[in-house]
Amino acid sequence: MQFAKRLEKIPPYLFAEINRKREELIAQGVDIINIGVGDPDKPTPTHIIQALHEAIEDPSTHNYPPYEGTQEFRTAAVRWMERRFGVADLNPNTEVVSSIGSKEAIHNTFLAFVEAGDYTLIPDPGYPVYRTSTIFAGGEPFTMPLKADNKFLPDLNVIPEEIARKAKLLWINYPNNPTGAIATIEFFEELVAFCQQYSILLCHDHAYSEMAYDGYKPPSILQIPGAKDIAIEFHSLSKSYNMTGWRIGFAVGNAHAIKGLSQVKTNIDSGVFKAIQKAAIAAYATDEVELKALMSVYQNRRDIIVKGLQSLGWPIEPPKATLYVWVPVPAGYTSTEFANLLLDKCGIVVPPGIGYGASGEGYFRIALTICDERLHEAIQRMRDAGIRYSH
C-alpha cells in the first residue's frame, strides 16, 4: 500500500521529535512541565455542563442534527455576534453554519474554494492547518511574513500582483496564534479593501476572540463596512469557555461562502450532536462577570511568565490577548535548539517557532495552560540552569 503523494508535501508533526525526547525523560523519572499545548486546563463552566445533562435526557436530541446546525443554535450565534460585536442583520438561515470546532470548518473552506493552480495567502508564522489544507486542496500556499517590526501584521504591499490575482483565500487570525498579536480596525479596513480589489475571500480565524486582557476587546472583521461582501469569520467555543474537547463552533458572514462551506460539510460530516449545540447556547449566555473571572486567571499567568522572563533578561511586553507568549530565543540558538535545551536542562516543553513557519524561526511559544505554581517553577528552573536572554 502506498500513501497518496499529497502526504509527501505535509510537513512533519510539530511536536514529533520533542515528544520522543519528552517520553524518554519521563521514563527516566524527570518531572516534565509542559507549557507547549494550547489546551485550557480549567473545567467547562458548570452551567454549560448542566445544560448538556438536561439536553441528553431529551430524546429529541438523539437523532441526526441538521447539517448546518439547529435553528436554535444558529439564532443564538447571530444574537451573540450582535451583542458582542454590534454586527447586526445577520441571517441565521443563510449566513451562519455550525462547525465541529474551528479546525474542521477551516479545512473544509479550502476544499470548497481552492483548486490546482490557485494560491492561498496565509500568515507565517501561523496555525499549521492553513498550509496543510491548502496542500490537501491542491493549491499553492503563499506566505505572508509576520514580523515584529510590523507588529506581526502582514504587509499587503509586498504581495505580488500576479499572486494576488490568482489567490482564492486570504487567512488572518487576530488575536494571533502563535504571536499573541492584535489587529486594529484600521488594518481590518485595509484587508477588506485589498480583498475587494482582488475578489479574494477573506477568512478570519477568530478562535481567541474572548481571550483578551487589560480591558481589550478584540473586534470582528464583520464590523468593517462592506466586509460581509467578501469575508467570513470562524468562531469556536474551545478556548473561551474551556470546551476544547466538545468540538463546537460556527462560521459566519458572506452567504455565498457559507453556502460553499455547507455543501462540503453535508458530504463529509453529519453535524454536531444536538445536545452539545444546546450546551453551546448556554455558553453564549454566560454572565460577563464569570467570563472576566476566567480571563483574570490567564492574565495573572501571563504576568507570571512575562515578569519572570523579564527578570532573566528577556525584552518582552505582555500580550493583550490569546493563551500565548511569543518569546525570542537567545543569541546563538535556533528555535529548535533552544526548545531542546529547555527540555534537556529544565524538563520544560515548548514548541519551537519554526514549527509555525519559516518566519517563526528565532522564537518559541509559551502556553498559559498550567497552574500558577508550575509557571513559577518553570521560571525558577530556567534561573537555576543559568538560562538567560542574550542578544
Coordinates of all heavy atoms in Angstrom, one line a residue, residues 203-245:
C203 N -10.8 35.3 5.2 CA -11.2 34.3 6.2 C -10.5 34.7 7.5 O -9.3 34.7 7.6 CB -10.7 32.9 5.8 SG -11.4 32.4 4.2
H204 N -11.3 35.1 8.5 CA -10.8 35.4 9.8 C -11.0 34.3 10.8 O -12.2 34.1 11.2 CB -11.4 36.7 10.3 CG -10.8 37.3 11.6 ND1 -11.5 38.0 12.4 CD2 -9.6 37.1 12.1 CE1 -10.8 38.3 13.5 NE2 -9.6 37.8 13.3
D205 N -10.0 33.7 11.2 CA -10.0 32.7 12.3 C -10.0 33.4 13.6 O -8.9 33.9 14.1 CB -8.8 31.8 12.1 CG -8.6 30.7 13.2 OD1 -9.5 30.6 14.1 OD2 -7.6 30.0 13.2
H206 N -11.2 33.5 14.3 CA -11.3 34.3 15.5 C -11.4 33.4 16.7 O -12.3 33.7 17.6 CB -12.6 35.2 15.3 CG -12.5 36.5 16.0 ND1 -11.4 36.9 16.8 CD2 -13.3 37.6 16.0 CE1 -11.6 38.1 17.3 NE2 -12.7 38.6 16.8
A207 N -10.6 32.4 16.8 CA -10.7 31.4 17.9 C -10.4 32.0 19.3 O -10.8 31.5 20.3 CB -9.7 30.3 17.6
Y208 N -9.7 33.2 19.3 CA -9.3 33.8 20.6 C -10.1 35.1 20.8 O -9.5 36.0 21.5 CB -7.8 34.0 20.6 CG -7.1 32.7 20.4 CD1 -6.7 32.2 19.2 CD2 -6.8 31.9 21.5 CE1 -6.0 31.0 19.0 CE2 -6.2 30.7 21.4 CZ -5.8 30.2 20.1 OH -5.1 29.0 20.0
S209 N -11.3 35.2 20.3 CA -12.0 36.5 20.4 C -12.2 36.9 21.8 O -12.3 38.1 22.0 CB -13.3 36.4 19.6 OG -14.2 35.5 20.3
E210 N -12.4 36.0 22.7 CA -12.7 36.4 24.1 C -11.5 36.3 25.0 O -11.6 36.6 26.2 CB -13.8 35.5 24.7 CG -15.0 35.5 23.8 CD -15.5 36.9 23.4 OE1 -15.9 37.6 24.2 OE2 -15.4 37.2 22.2
M211 N -10.3 35.8 24.5 CA -9.1 35.6 25.3 C -8.3 36.9 25.3 O -7.3 37.0 24.6 CB -8.3 34.4 24.8 CG -9.1 33.2 24.6 SD -9.8 32.5 26.1 CE -8.3 32.1 27.0
A212 N -8.8 37.9 26.0 CA -8.1 39.2 26.0 C -8.0 39.8 27.4 O -8.8 39.5 28.3 CB -8.9 40.2 25.0
Y213 N -7.0 40.7 27.6 CA -6.7 41.2 28.9 C -6.6 42.8 28.9 O -6.6 43.4 27.9 CB -5.3 40.6 29.3 CG -5.3 39.1 29.0 CD1 -4.3 38.7 28.0 CD2 -6.1 38.2 29.5 CE1 -4.3 37.3 27.7 CE2 -6.1 36.9 29.2 CZ -5.2 36.4 28.3 OH -5.1 35.1 28.0
D214 N -6.5 43.3 30.1 CA -6.3 44.7 30.3 C -7.4 45.5 29.7 O -7.2 46.7 29.3 CB -4.9 45.2 29.8 CG -3.8 44.3 30.3 OD1 -3.8 44.0 31.5 OD2 -2.8 44.0 29.5
G215 N -8.6 45.0 29.7 CA -9.7 45.7 29.1 C -9.9 45.7 27.6 O -10.8 46.3 27.1
Y216 N -9.0 45.0 26.9 CA -9.0 45.0 25.5 C -10.1 44.1 25.0 O -10.3 43.0 25.5 CB -7.7 44.5 24.9 CG -7.7 44.3 23.4 CD1 -7.8 45.4 22.5 CD2 -7.5 43.0 22.9 CE1 -7.8 45.2 21.2 CE2 -7.5 42.9 21.5 CZ -7.7 43.9 20.7 OH -7.7 43.8 19.3
K217 N -10.9 44.5 24.0 CA -12.0 43.7 23.4 C -11.7 43.5 21.9 O -11.8 44.5 21.1 CB -13.3 44.4 23.6 CG -13.7 44.6 25.0 CD -14.1 43.3 25.7 CE -15.4 42.8 25.4 NZ -15.9 41.6 26.2
P218 N -11.2 42.4 21.4 CA -10.9 42.1 20.0 C -12.1 42.4 19.1 O -13.2 41.9 19.4 CB -10.4 40.7 20.0 CG -10.0 40.4 21.4 CD -10.9 41.2 22.3
P219 N -11.9 43.1 18.0 CA -13.0 43.3 17.1 C -13.2 42.1 16.1 O -12.4 41.2 16.0 CB -12.5 44.5 16.3 CG -11.0 44.4 16.3 CD -10.7 43.8 17.6
S220 N -14.4 42.2 15.5 CA -14.7 41.2 14.4 C -14.4 41.9 13.0 O -14.7 43.1 12.9 CB -16.2 40.8 14.5 OG -16.7 40.2 13.3
I221 N -14.0 41.1 12.1 CA -13.8 41.6 10.7 C -15.2 42.0 10.1 O -15.2 43.0 9.3 CB -13.2 40.5 9.8 CG1 -12.6 41.1 8.5 CG2 -14.2 39.4 9.5 CD1 -11.5 42.0 8.7
L222 N -16.3 41.5 10.6 CA -17.6 41.8 10.1 C -18.1 43.2 10.6 O -19.1 43.7 10.1 CB -18.6 40.7 10.4 CG -18.3 39.4 9.8 CD1 -19.3 38.3 10.3 CD2 -18.2 39.4 8.3
Q223 N -17.3 43.8 11.5 CA -17.6 45.2 11.9 C -17.3 46.2 10.8 O -17.8 47.3 10.8 CB -16.9 45.5 13.2 CG -17.4 44.8 14.4 CD -16.5 45.1 15.6 OE1 -16.1 44.2 16.3 NE2 -16.2 46.4 15.9
I224 N -16.4 45.8 9.9 CA -16.0 46.7 8.8 C -17.1 46.8 7.7 O -17.5 45.8 7.2 CB -14.7 46.2 8.2 CG1 -13.6 45.9 9.3 CG2 -14.1 47.2 7.2 CD1 -13.3 47.1 10.2
P225 N -17.4 48.1 7.4 CA -18.4 48.2 6.3 C -18.0 47.5 5.0 O -16.8 47.6 4.6 CB -18.5 49.7 6.1 CG -18.1 50.3 7.4 CD -17.0 49.4 8.0
G226 N -18.9 46.7 4.4 CA -18.6 46.0 3.2 C -17.9 44.7 3.4 O -17.7 43.9 2.4
A227 N -17.5 44.4 4.7 CA -16.8 43.1 4.9 C -17.6 41.9 4.5 O -17.1 40.9 4.0 CB -16.4 43.0 6.3
K228 N -18.9 41.9 4.8 CA -19.7 40.8 4.5 C -19.8 40.4 3.0 O -20.2 39.3 2.6 CB -21.1 41.0 5.1 CG -21.8 39.6 5.4 CD -23.1 39.8 6.3 CE -24.1 40.6 5.6 NZ -25.4 40.5 6.3
D229 N -19.4 41.4 2.2 CA -19.4 41.1 0.7 C -18.3 40.1 0.4 O -18.4 39.4 -0.6 CB -19.1 42.4 -0.1 CG -20.3 43.3 0.1 OD1 -21.4 42.9 0.4 OD2 -20.1 44.6 -0.1
I230 N -17.2 40.0 1.2 CA -16.0 39.2 0.8 C -15.4 38.4 2.0 O -14.4 37.8 1.8 CB -14.9 40.1 0.2 CG1 -14.7 41.4 1.0 CG2 -15.3 40.4 -1.3 CD1 -13.7 41.2 2.1
A231 N -16.1 38.4 3.2 CA -15.4 37.8 4.4 C -16.3 36.9 5.1 O -17.5 37.0 5.1 CB -15.0 38.9 5.3
I232 N -15.7 35.9 5.7 CA -16.3 35.0 6.7 C -15.4 34.9 7.9 O -14.2 35.1 7.8 CB -16.7 33.6 6.2 CG1 -15.4 32.9 5.6 CG2 -17.8 33.6 5.2 CD1 -15.7 31.4 5.3
E233 N -16.0 34.6 9.0 CA -15.3 34.6 10.3 C -15.6 33.3 11.0 O -16.7 32.8 11.0 CB -15.7 35.8 11.2 CG -14.8 36.0 12.4 CD -15.1 37.4 12.9 OE1 -16.1 37.6 13.6 OE2 -14.2 38.3 12.7
F234 N -14.6 32.7 11.6 CA -14.7 31.4 12.3 C -14.6 31.6 13.8 O -13.6 32.1 14.3 CB -13.6 30.4 11.8 CG -13.6 30.2 10.3 CD1 -13.1 31.1 9.4 CD2 -14.2 29.1 9.8 CE1 -13.2 30.9 8.0 CE2 -14.3 28.8 8.4 CZ -13.7 29.8 7.5
H235 N -15.6 31.1 14.5 CA -15.7 31.2 15.9 C -15.7 29.8 16.5 O -16.3 28.9 16.0 CB -16.9 32.0 16.4 CG -16.8 33.5 16.1 ND1 -16.2 34.3 17.0 CD2 -17.1 34.2 15.0 CE1 -16.2 35.5 16.5 NE2 -16.7 35.5 15.3
S236 N -15.1 29.7 17.7 CA -15.0 28.4 18.4 C -15.3 28.7 19.9 O -14.9 29.7 20.4 CB -13.6 27.8 18.2 OG -13.5 26.7 19.1
L237 N -15.9 27.7 20.5 CA -16.1 27.8 22.0 C -15.0 27.2 22.8 O -14.9 27.2 24.0 CB -17.4 27.1 22.4 CG -18.7 27.9 22.0 CD1 -19.2 27.5 20.7 CD2 -19.8 27.7 23.1
S238 N -14.0 26.6 22.0 CA -12.9 25.8 22.6 C -12.2 26.5 23.7 O -12.1 26.1 24.9 CB -12.0 25.3 21.6 OG -12.6 24.3 20.8
K239 N -11.6 27.7 23.4 CA -10.7 28.4 24.3 C -11.4 29.2 25.3 O -11.2 29.2 26.5 CB -9.7 29.2 23.5 CG -9.1 28.6 22.3 CD -8.2 27.4 22.6 CE -7.5 26.9 21.4 NZ -6.6 25.8 21.6
S240 N -12.4 30.0 24.8 CA -13.1 31.0 25.6 C -13.9 30.3 26.8 O -14.1 30.9 27.8 CB -14.0 31.8 24.8 OG -13.3 32.4 23.7
Y241 N -14.4 29.1 26.5 CA -15.3 28.5 27.5 C -14.8 27.2 28.0 O -15.5 26.3 28.5 CB -16.7 28.3 26.9 CG -17.3 29.6 26.5 CD1 -17.2 30.1 25.1 CD2 -18.0 30.5 27.4 CE1 -17.8 31.3 24.7 CE2 -18.5 31.7 27.0 CZ -18.4 32.1 25.6 OH -19.0 33.3 25.2
N242 N -13.5 26.9 27.8 CA -12.9 25.7 28.2 C -13.6 24.4 27.7 O -13.9 23.5 28.4 CB -12.8 25.6 29.8 CG -12.0 26.7 30.4 OD1 -11.1 27.2 29.8 ND2 -12.4 27.0 31.6
M243 N -13.8 24.5 26.4 CA -14.6 23.4 25.7 C -13.8 22.8 24.5 O -14.4 22.4 23.5 CB -15.9 24.0 25.2 CG -16.8 24.4 26.4 SD -18.4 25.3 25.8 CE -19.3 23.9 25.1
T244 N -12.5 22.6 24.6 CA -11.7 22.1 23.5 C -12.2 20.8 23.1 O -12.2 20.5 21.9 CB -10.2 22.1 23.9 OG1 -10.1 21.4 25.1 CG2 -9.6 23.5 23.9
G245 N -12.6 19.9 24.0 CA -13.0 18.5 23.6 C -14.4 18.4 23.1 O -14.8 17.4 22.6

